[in-house]
Each structure stands twice: as C-alpha cells, then as structure tokens.
C-alpha cells in the first residue's frame, strides 16, 4: 500500500491524473480490489473524480463487497441512480451479492425490478446472481421461478440453484435436482455444485451417492482444493464411514483449521474420544492455533466419551492458555458432559455460575440428562426455564412428558401433553431413513405406507422369532403410554428403526453394512434389539441418531452403552 501511494503521488506530481477518469478508474481498481488495498484510500480517489462513470461505480461497489461492507455498496448504487448514471450488466451481480450478505430481501426485490427496467432480465450472469440472492434470503420459490424462466441454463445456474436448496436444508430436493441436472446433460458439474450435493448426502446419510461423487471428482479433477477435500471427509464421517474419512484426512497434503474441526467433531460423534483428543494434540504440534469451533469438537468428544476430568482440563486450557472466551456452546458442552455423567446438581451449579444467560440448548441438555438419570427435581427446573425461553418447541414438552411417564406419573404426563395441544403444537414424528441401492427410504413408527409393507412386517416376525433364542425381551418401559402390556409390546415391534433394519435385511447382500439415520435419540429397546440383530445376522449396523453414531457389530455397540 505504501508503494501504491508513492506511485499515486508521482502521477499527481506529473499532473497526469487531472481529468483522466480512465487512469483514476485503474487506480481505484488496484486499490479497491487488491488483497493489500484500502477502501478508504480508494474512496478518496473516487471522490476526486469530477465525473465518475459506470466503471468507477461498479469497481467501488465490488470493493465494498470484498471489504464486507455491503451496506455502503447498496448506498453507492443509490447515489449512482440519483446521478443518472445507467448501470450495466456488471453492476447487478455485485449488488445482488451485497443483498445476499445482508439477507436484504426488500432491497433485493427492488434491484430485481431495476434489472427489468434496464433490460438485463435475460443476462445469464444477472439471472444466476438473482437465483443465489433469493436462495440466501430464504425465498426458494422466487429462486426457482428465476431458474425456470431462463433461456440459457449453465452449470453455474444449476450450481446456484442447488446451493440455495442446500442452504435451506432441502436435502432431498437438492438430490432430486442433481439427478435432473445430470439427465439434462450437465454431468460435468463444477466443484461448488458437488460440494452442495455432498452436503445433502451428508445430512441424509446417502453414502452410496456420496461415494459416486467422490469417484467423479477423483476421475475428473487431479488436484482437489481443501474445501472439497474437507466436504468429502465430512460426508464420509457423517454417513458412518469414519475409517474412510480418517484415511482422506491423513492423506491431505495441506490441512487447515476446518479440516481438523471436521475430523475431531466426527470422531467425537462416533464415540472415539481418545482419537479425537490425539488429533487435537497433533494440530497444536503443527502450529495451528485452535479456535472456539475446534474446542466445541474437543469438548463434545469428552462428553460422548464420558471423560469428565479431561473435559474440565481442556475447558481451562481453552480459557487460560489459548485465551478463548467460552461461548454459550462451550458451556453447553460442559453442562452436557457433567450432567450426562450423572452429576446433575454440579451441572446446575455450573449453569448458575455462567457469566452469560443460559439458552434453551443448555437447559435442554440438562433436561435430557434428567430423563436418563430419572431426576425429577431438576427436570422440572429445566423445563420451566425452557418453556419461558422457547415456548413453541414441541420436543421439550414431549421430553418432560416422557420423564413423567417413565415414572408412571400419568396425570403429570397427560397434563404436559395437554398443555402442548392447547398451544397448538404438533409433535414431529420420529423417523428412520435407510439408503438401499442409492435410494433413501424413510419410515415412521407403525408405518404401513411403504409399498413393501407386508414383506417388511414378515421380516420383523422372523427377526423376533430368532431374537427369542438370544434371550431378548421387549423393554416395555420405553412405551410411554398408559396402555396394557400387549399394546406396549405391539407398539415397540414397529419402531421406525426396526422397520428400516428389516427393509435393509431384505434388500442388501449378506455381510453388507446397514446405515440408518434417525431424527430422534435412540430408545433403550431399539439399542438392545439392534445389538442382537447385528450378532444374529452377522451384520455391521451403523445408526446415526440425533446425538451421535452407534456402530453395532457382533452384539456390541461402539458407545459402550453410554449415550
């Protein structure tokens, strides 16, 4: 920057700058868009131009966006409009990016109107920017509408559409669109498109499709960047293939903070706490400074591994050695760690001593531990705070009701459910998804909607017949309804996880791994059931529930019955 100022001074001294807007525009470009530049200095040059044109305005807008000052970019466009300077097709992609960063949908809609007014509605770059802006502002219908009206669709158009669906958590729709994209001849997707698809595979547990994308990347791109490599590791880890994720991580020529965060967090949710802590120590030896996100992974590993003392040490190391102020997430990990280990009163004292006001996640962690350890006193304290902070969260009412039901306090359980209904809240049903032949099949409890429902329930019958020889008895305490034993046994029989396992046993080859994704915590009965099924059928069964991974093999679970 100092060299640039000297060159600028020479231009002024030689009087070559006066009235030369082209030269000034070049100076602004270098100053505003270089990594070492200064927007303040670029602005001082810009303000000394007598008659700046569209090029200079566009450059300044891009500079402000690069500087993450999107508000100034939009204000500069307003000034441009007031001066009567007509924008061009380079103006709007930059402006729409500013709206994306600010989630400024109102301004985005107005700018879309200007796109029509000035005749750029058919420009492919502007259209792609509109898709991206609407997606990042959460307006998926408008995003799709722009895409559908395009005359010339490019890979970048598909990429923007898929990224929009991914950002909004529309994973299944993203995979459907990717299939449509491939069938229309756009099979040479770019890296950013495939990162969006990998993210969808990650959330849905669609390992086979994720592997196919990995194969495509390996065949077509010789040098994958760190972002794509990290996305692949994240996909394998969260689809239950932790070993493959570890191999990719170890083979990375260059690792960054995010790579370490992904593998540490991945090992944590797989219950491999000691390995996660060892990799964290390697990260420190390599000279990479940990940030607050890495420490969330480290403390999560301690929590899932039941390493209370180690968790306390790392919490202190974070604060005193690395000078990282604990966030609400770090306190949440500590409350989860301590209360999960049965120290409910100690966890409650930690909550009271927090410098920050505890949020709903912290109280929910305490309430979940109260269910495991049957602590009614602290369960009621946690639930009262939860209902004040987040009165519309259905799962909190269900959790408290289940705690009461577990203790046969049926009146309290019914009252809690009634309060939920009176507030117009609907319980989200528990579901389990299993990928078979690159297609994801979803089941809910007591589900009979699947086309192969009859065969699935026949397999359930066969599974139960063989389970008897292993001494299995249904844990009817997991049925939290005031019904007779026969009804409780019937309800347990068709839990969504069992239906998913039955379907996978029918349609997968002997010895192949079964991978299931659940949206709720696994119940004790399903846990025992799955352990025995893995032994009887000689299968590895990997289940990802709301909290972590369980790897069942030879009648043993990787969580060591601590989850």
């Amino acid at each position: 920057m100092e060299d640039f100022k000297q060159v600028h001074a020479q231009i002024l001294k030689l009087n070559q700058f006066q009235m030369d807007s082209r030269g000034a525009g070049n100076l602004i470009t270098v100053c505003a868009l270089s990594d070492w530049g200064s927007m303040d200095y670029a602005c001082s040059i810009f303000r000394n131009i007598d008659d700046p044109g569209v090029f200079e305005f566009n450059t300044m807008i891009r500079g402000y966006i690069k500087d993450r000052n999107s508000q100034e970019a939009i204000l500069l466009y307003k000034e441009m409009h007031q001066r009567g300077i007509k924008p061009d097709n380079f103006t709007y992609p930059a402006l729409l990016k500013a709206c994306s960063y600010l989630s400024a949908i109102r301004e985005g809609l107005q700018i879309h109107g200007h796109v029509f007014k000035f005749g750029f509605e058919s420009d492919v770059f502007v259209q792609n920017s509109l898709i991206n802006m609407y997606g990042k502002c959460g307006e998926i219908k408008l995003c799709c509408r722009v895409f559908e009206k395009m005359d010339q669709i490019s890979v970048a158009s598909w990429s923007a559409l898929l990224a929009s669906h991914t950002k909004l958590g529309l994973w299944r729709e993203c995979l459907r669109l990717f299939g449509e994209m491939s069938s229309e001849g756009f099979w040479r997707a770019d890296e950013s498109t495939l990162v969006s698809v990998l993210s969808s595979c990650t959330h849905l547990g669609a390992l086979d499709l994720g592997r196919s994308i990995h194969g495509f990347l390996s065949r077509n791109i010789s040098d994958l960047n760190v972002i794509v490599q990290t996305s692949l590791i994240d996909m394998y880890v969260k689809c239950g293939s932790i070993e493959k994720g570890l191999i990719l991580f170890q083979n990375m020529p260059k690792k960054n903070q995010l790579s370490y965060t992904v593998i540490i967090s991945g090992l944590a949710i797989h219950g491999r706490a000691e390995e996660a802590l060892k990799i964290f120590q390697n990260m420190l030896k390599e000279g990479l400074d940990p940030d607050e996100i890495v420490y969330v992974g480290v403390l999560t590993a301690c929590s899932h591994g039941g390493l209370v003392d180690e968790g306390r040490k790392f919490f202190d190391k974070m604060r005193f050695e690395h000078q990282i102020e604990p966030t609400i997430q770090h306190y949440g990990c500590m409350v989860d760690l301590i209360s999960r280990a049965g120290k409910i009163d100690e966890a409650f004292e930690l909550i009271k001593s927090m410098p920050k006001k505890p949020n709903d996640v912290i109280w929910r962690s305490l309430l979940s531990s109260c269910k495991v350890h049957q602590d009614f006193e602290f369960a009621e304290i946690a639930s009262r705070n939860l209902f004040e902070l987040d009165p519309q969260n259905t799962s909190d009412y269900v959790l408290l009701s289940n705690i009461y039901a577990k203790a046969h306090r049926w009146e309290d359980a019914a009252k809690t459910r009634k309060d939920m209904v009176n507030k117009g809240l609907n319980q989200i049903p528990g579901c389990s998804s299993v990928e078979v032949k690159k297609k994801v099949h979803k089941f809910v409890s007591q589900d009979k909607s699947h086309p192969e429902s009859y065969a699935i329930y026949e397999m359930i019958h066969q599974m139960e017949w063989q389970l008897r020889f292993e001494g299995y008895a249904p844990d009817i305490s997991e049925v939290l309804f005031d019904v007779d034993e026969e009804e409780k046994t019937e309800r347990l029989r068709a839990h969504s996880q069992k239906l998913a396992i039955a379907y996978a046993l029918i349609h997968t080859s002997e010895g192949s791994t079964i991978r299931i994704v659940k949206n709720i915590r696994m119940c004790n009965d399903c846990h025992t059931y799955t352990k025995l099924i893995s032994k009887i059928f000689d299968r590895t069964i990997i289940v990802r529930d709301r909290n972590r991974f369980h790897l069942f093999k030879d009648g043993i679970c990787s969580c060591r019955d601590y989850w």
Side-chain angles (χ1 to χ4, degrees):
M1 192 62 209
E2 291 306 311
D3 293 336
F4 176 83
K5 287 178 180 178
Q6 289 180 36
V7 173
H8 185 203
Q10 287 295 320
I11 293 170
L12 292 173
K13 184 178 177 182
L14 296 170
N15 203 29
Q16 292 178 359
F17 181 75
Q18 190 174 3
M19 299 302 289
D20 186 355
S21 63
R22 183 178 176 184
N26 289 334
L27 284 171
I28 292 168
T29 301
V30 174
C31 190
L33 302 181
S34 298
D35 291 336
W36 46 262
S38 163
M39 276 309 295
D40 288 339
Y41 199 84
C43 188
S44 70
I45 300 171
F46 177 75
R47 291 303 174 193
N48 277 290
I49 302 173
D50 292 332
D51 190 21
V54 65
F55 175 80
E56 289 74 36
F57 271 98
N58 286 350
T59 304
M60 287 295 293
I61 287 169
R62 288 171 59 204
Y64 278 126
I65 292 165
K66 179 180 173 293
D67 212 34
R68 292 286 176 170
N69 193 348
S70 299
Q71 203 164 5
E72 280 299 322
I74 294 172
L75 289 171
L76 199 61
Y77 173 71
K78 184 180 178 183
E79 179 185 336
M80 180 181 176
H81 190 62
Q82 289 169 341
R83 283 184 178 221
I85 297 169
K86 188 178 179 181
D88 60 17
N89 60 330
F90 293 103
T91 308
Y92 292 110
L95 268 179
L96 290 165
K97 186 180 285 188
C99 295
S100 300
Y101 289 151
L102 294 170
S103 295
I105 185 61
R106 183 169 171 267
E107 288 76 6
L109 286 164
Q110 291 176 17
I111 290 167
H112 192 175
H114 281 211
V115 166
F116 272 92
K117 181 178 178 180
F118 291 107
F120 298 113
E121 68 274 12
S122 298
D123 185 279
V124 68
F125 298 105
V126 175
Q127 288 172 322
N128 291 344
S129 299
L130 282 165
I131 292 168
N132 186 59
M133 183 274 293
Y134 281 129
K136 288 187 176 176
C137 290
E139 296 289 341
I140 199 66
K141 288 183 180 178
L142 293 174
C143 171
C144 293
R145 194 178 299 168
V146 173
F147 180 83
E148 288 161 3
K149 290 186 176 181
M150 290 181 71
D151 295 324
Q152 291 182 310
I153 296 174
S154 65
V155 169
S157 312
W158 279 107
S159 180
L161 184 69
L162 292 174
S164 298
H165 282 80
T166 302
K167 183 182 183 300
L168 295 172
L170 302 169
W171 318 118
R172 293 178 191 278
E173 186 65 12
C174 178
L175 294 187
R176 187 192 68 76
L177 287 167
F178 179 64
E180 191 178 312
M181 172 185 174
S182 303
S183 67
E184 290 188 11
F186 292 92
W187 55 273
R188 285 195 174 276
D190 59 13
E191 290 183 25
S192 62
T193 304
L194 294 174
V195 166
S196 294
V197 180
L198 280 172
S199 179
S200 296
C201 294
T202 300
H203 285 85
L204 292 172
L207 180 63
D208 287 347
L209 181 56
R211 280 180 181 147
S212 299
I213 293 167
H214 186 190
F216 173 86
L217 287 165
S218 301
R219 289 190 301 272
N220 293 280
I221 302 172
S222 57
D223 187 22
L224 298 177
N225 63 40
V226 177
I227 294 172
V228 176
Q229 288 177 312
T230 303
S231 296
L232 282 166
I233 294 167
D234 194 39
M235 183 274 295
Y236 278 113
V237 165
K238 289 180 181 173
C239 288
S241 188
I242 183 68
E243 297 300 338
K244 181 65 176 178
L246 275 169
I247 291 168
L248 284 175
F249 174 77
Q250 288 157 1
N251 290 336
M252 284 181 77
K254 186 179 179 181
K255 304 176 181 74
N256 61 12
Q257 264 187 356
L258 182 59
S259 311
Y260 274 100
T261 300
V262 165
I263 199 66
I264 289 168
S265 300
L267 287 164
I269 60 174
H270 278 269
R272 294 166 67 163
E274 290 81 2
E275 290 174 75
L277 299 183
K278 185 177 178 181
I279 286 179
F280 177 64
Q281 297 294 356
N282 292 341
M283 175 185 172
L284 298 180
K285 286 176 186 175
E286 287 190 18
L288 282 171
D289 291 327
D291 61 7
E292 60 184 48
I293 302 171
V294 172
Y295 263 112
V296 169
V298 169
L299 295 175
T300 301
C302 294
S303 179
H304 286 306
L307 306 176
V308 178
D309 292 338
E310 289 85 346
R312 289 193 181 107
K313 287 175 186 175
F314 279 113
F315 188 67
D316 290 339
K317 187 183 183 79
M318 177 186 73
R319 290 187 295 167
F320 303 124
E321 185 176 329
H322 291 118
Q323 300 293 303
I324 296 172
E325 185 69 26
T327 65
I328 202 78
Q329 286 82 9
H330 298 121
Y331 280 108
C333 289
M334 290 303 294
V335 169
D336 188 56
L337 167 68
I338 296 166
S339 62
R340 191 193 290 261
K343 304 174 187 292
I344 307 288
D345 52 347
E346 186 181 334
F348 181 65
E349 289 302 317
L350 175 62
I351 293 172
K352 288 199 298 183
S353 68
M354 283 171 52
K356 307 170 188 288
K357 185 179 178 181
N359 65 1
D360 59 321
V361 176
I362 285 177
W363 288 116
R364 199 167 289 120
S365 292
L366 188 69
L367 185 61
S368 296
S369 295
C370 289
K371 180 178 184 289
V372 173
H373 298 287
Q374 288 292 285
D375 193 313
F376 303 107
E377 179 188 352
F378 285 111
E380 289 174 341
I381 293 171
S383 62
R384 278 199 303 271
N385 283 279
L386 272 172
F387 297 154
E388 286 179 14
L389 287 167
D390 191 6
Q392 300 302 309
N393 192 307
T394 308
S395 63
D396 299 332
Y397 292 91
V398 174
L399 186 54
L400 179 62
S401 173
N402 289 348
I403 292 170
Y404 285 137
K406 192 94 172 175
H408 302 289
R409 291 171 57 175
W410 301 115
E411 287 187 10
D412 290 326
K415 182 179 180 301
T416 306
R417 295 265 179 176
K418 187 178 178 182
D419 289 343
M420 185 178 80
V421 172
N422 289 340
K423 291 181 179 180
L425 305 178
N426 295 315
Q427 182 179 351
I428 298 170
C431 66
S432 299
S433 298
V434 62
E435 185 187 25
V436 174
K437 297 175 183 176
K438 296 187 181 180
K439 186 176 180 183
V440 178
H441 298 263
K442 180 179 173 182
F443 298 91
V444 295
S445 185
Q446 321 302 314
D447 200 342
K448 292 188 178 178
S449 63
H450 196 278
E452 298 181 57
S453 183
Y454 180 80
I456 292 167
Y457 278 89
E458 278 294 305
M459 177 56 78
I460 290 280
H461 179 73
Q462 291 181 41
M463 290 157 66
E464 288 183 345
W465 186 79
Q466 295 191 56
L467 282 166
R468 289 178 197 153
F469 296 102
E470 296 294 330
Y472 166 75
D475 183 2
I476 58 173
S477 68
E478 287 295 320
V479 180
L480 304 173
F481 295 95
D482 189 11
V483 293
D484 60 32
E485 285 193 20
E486 185 179 347
E487 175 68 16
K488 288 184 177 183
T489 303
E490 192 60 37
R491 285 176 179 267
L492 277 179
R493 178 174 290 119
H495 272 193
S496 65
Q497 182 171 320
K498 296 173 184 177
L499 297 175
I501 292 172
Y503 184 80
L505 288 173
I506 294 169
H507 290 283
T508 56
S509 57
E510 288 186 24
S512 62
T513 300
I514 296 171
R515 290 179 170 83
I516 293 169
V517 177
K518 294 174 65 76
N519 66 339
I520 58 173
R521 184 181 183 274
M522 193 186 313
C523 75
N524 289 328
D525 181 72
C526 282
H527 194 266
T528 303
Y529 188 102
T530 309
K531 281 198 295 185
L532 294 172
I533 290 295
S534 72
K535 180 182 177 182
I536 294 166
F537 288 86
D538 192 23
R539 294 291 195 103
T540 297
I541 303 173
I542 299 171
V543 181
R544 184 177 101 195
D545 72 5
R546 190 179 61 191
N547 297 330
R548 57 167 298 152
F549 275 90
H550 300 260
L551 189 150
F552 299 93
K553 189 174 182 180
D554 299 325
I556 298 169
C557 180
S558 60
C559 75
R560 304 188 303 274
D561 299 339
Y562 184 85
W563 86 97

